[in-house]
Amino acid sequence: KVIMHLQNIKKVYHIGGEDFAALNEVSLTIKEGDFIALMGPSGSGKSTLMNILGCLDRPTSGIYELDGEEVSHLSDDNLAMTRNRKIGFVFQNFNLLSRVSALHNVALPLVYAGVDKKEREARAIALLTSVGLGSWANHQPNELSGGQQQRVAIARALVNNPHIIMADEPTGNLDTKSSKEIMGIFETLHERHHTIILVTHEPEIAACADRQLLMCDGRITRDEGKGVSMDVV
Ligand code: ADP
Ligand code: ADP
């Protein structure tokens, strides 16, 4: 089943009176359960593509269907609603609230979803336990290692039960051991049929995915995986 479909996506920025295409006619089909690593040099358009796929930004032109729904023309509110229901985000710098516990960091998105306190805490504890942090629920981020903070961030990304997980350099600030633990969690999520898209510069991290996309100058120039290799342009 196709979960994300991009057709001829362009993203044009106006810089100093000139048009610049950060994404230039990108077409891409992502299937439910795909585990994708997005690679490419700095400035090649990875973040721009992630922002569009993640419903954080809209293309200048082209079609984006998420889970069968054309989303490029949704209102800001509807786009945010779709995003919060379907996609969990993980960042390089964890983006945790520093003054509250791991438990509250994980439970917070459920406040906005209108879930009552008891259920919020039960779900947060269950998720923290699933990432090996059951006994750290009451600790604040500054009492946790980088790898532990990223595990809290993954638990938070999962709290609304999204099918899609998007991660931008999730191991970029972690040592090798913590990186392996984090990739182990992504592999488990992959086995549970989540769709995972992560940006990385590291070949060993990209090798954990089952499909590798390479971007260059606003285009996807290579799409390979599962023994299939294809030069796109
Ligand atoms: P990457 O994530 O691969 O480093 P980006 O998607 O951040 O690449 O950027 C792609 C290109 O678009 C770069 O040349 C960048 O300078 C430009 N760009 C990104 N965001 C903006 C913006 N908000 N305004 C103008 N130019 C931008
Ligand atoms: P779980 O018990 O669910 O596996 P933990 O948070 O206890 O989750 O384990 C994560 C890691 O942190 C393990 O390597 C464990 O040895 C370590 N750890 C757990 N509790 C403490 C603690 N109170 N002080 C120091 N390290 C701990």
Side-chain angles (χ1 to χ4, degrees):
K1 186 186 163 214
V2 172
I3 189 130
M4 293 161 137
H5 180 67
L6 298 182
Q7 204 168 339
N8 302 110
I9 291 288
K10 267 196 167 204
K11 180 69 185 184
V12 177
Y13 292 114
H14 305 281
I15 310 165
E18 305 249 328
D19 280 355
F20 171 79
L23 294 178
N24 200 351
E25 303 287 341
V26 170
S27 296
L28 175 66
T29 300
I30 296 173
K31 296 207 183 84
E32 206 163 62
D34 271 359
F35 185 176
I36 293 179
L38 182 59
M39 306 190 78
S42 181
S44 58
K46 302 181 299 296
S47 304
T48 305
L49 180 60
M50 291 291 274
N51 287 343
I52 289 172
L53 287 172
C55 297
L56 295 160
D57 199 1
R58 292 188 179 76
T60 308
S61 62
I63 293 168
Y64 176 26
E65 285 171 5
L66 171 59
D67 214 358
E69 179 187 27
E70 163 64 81
V71 294
S72 339
H73 305 300
L74 291 180
S75 69
D76 286 354
D77 283 355
N78 285 333
L79 196 66
M81 214 152 70
T82 296
R83 176 171 71 233
N84 294 336
R85 262 208 331 269
K86 301 192 186 245
I87 307 173
F89 294 92
V90 175
F91 307 91
Q92 179 170 3
N93 294 317
F94 324 130
N95 286 14
L96 300 175
L97 295 177
S98 56
R99 312 301 305 184
V100 305
S101 67
L103 179 86
H104 281 109
N105 268 285
V106 175
L108 190 62
L110 296 175
V111 175
Y112 305 117
V115 176
D116 72 59
K117 188 164 189 277
K118 207 172 152 199
E119 192 185 337
R120 288 201 300 267
E121 298 196 348
R123 273 161 79 175
I125 287 285
L127 280 164
L128 284 168
T129 302
S130 76
V131 295
L133 294 177
S135 55
W136 292 81
N138 296 319
H139 289 257
Q140 292 187 3
N142 65 0
E143 299 170 309
L144 304 176
S145 70
Q148 289 174 322
Q149 290 182 55
Q150 193 60 297
R151 286 191 268 155
V152 174
I154 292 173
R156 178 185 57 187
L158 293 170
V159 80
N160 278 320
N161 290 321
H163 286 250
I164 302 163
I165 303 293
M166 300 190 64
D168 197 343
E169 299 264 8
T171 60
N173 283 338
L174 301 178
D175 58 52
T176 305
K177 179 170 175 283
S178 302
S179 294
K180 282 192 180 140
E181 287 168 6
I182 295 302
M183 292 315 294
I185 294 174
F186 283 121
E187 277 163 356
T188 303
L189 294 173
H190 175 48
E191 282 159 15
R192 292 182 189 159
H193 310 295
H194 283 280
T195 305
I196 301 170
I197 307 170
L198 64 85
V199 171
T200 184
H201 287 295
E202 299 165 70
E204 314 86 67
I205 299 293
C208 296
D210 53 26
R211 185 175 171 194
Q212 289 81 22
L213 299 177
L214 183 66
M215 290 198 77
C216 204
D217 295 336
R219 296 172 189 270
I220 294 171
T221 55
R222 213 170 155 77
D223 183 350
E224 63 185 2
K226 291 176 179 159
V228 182
S229 172
M230 180 164 84
D231 282 321
V232 181
V233 289

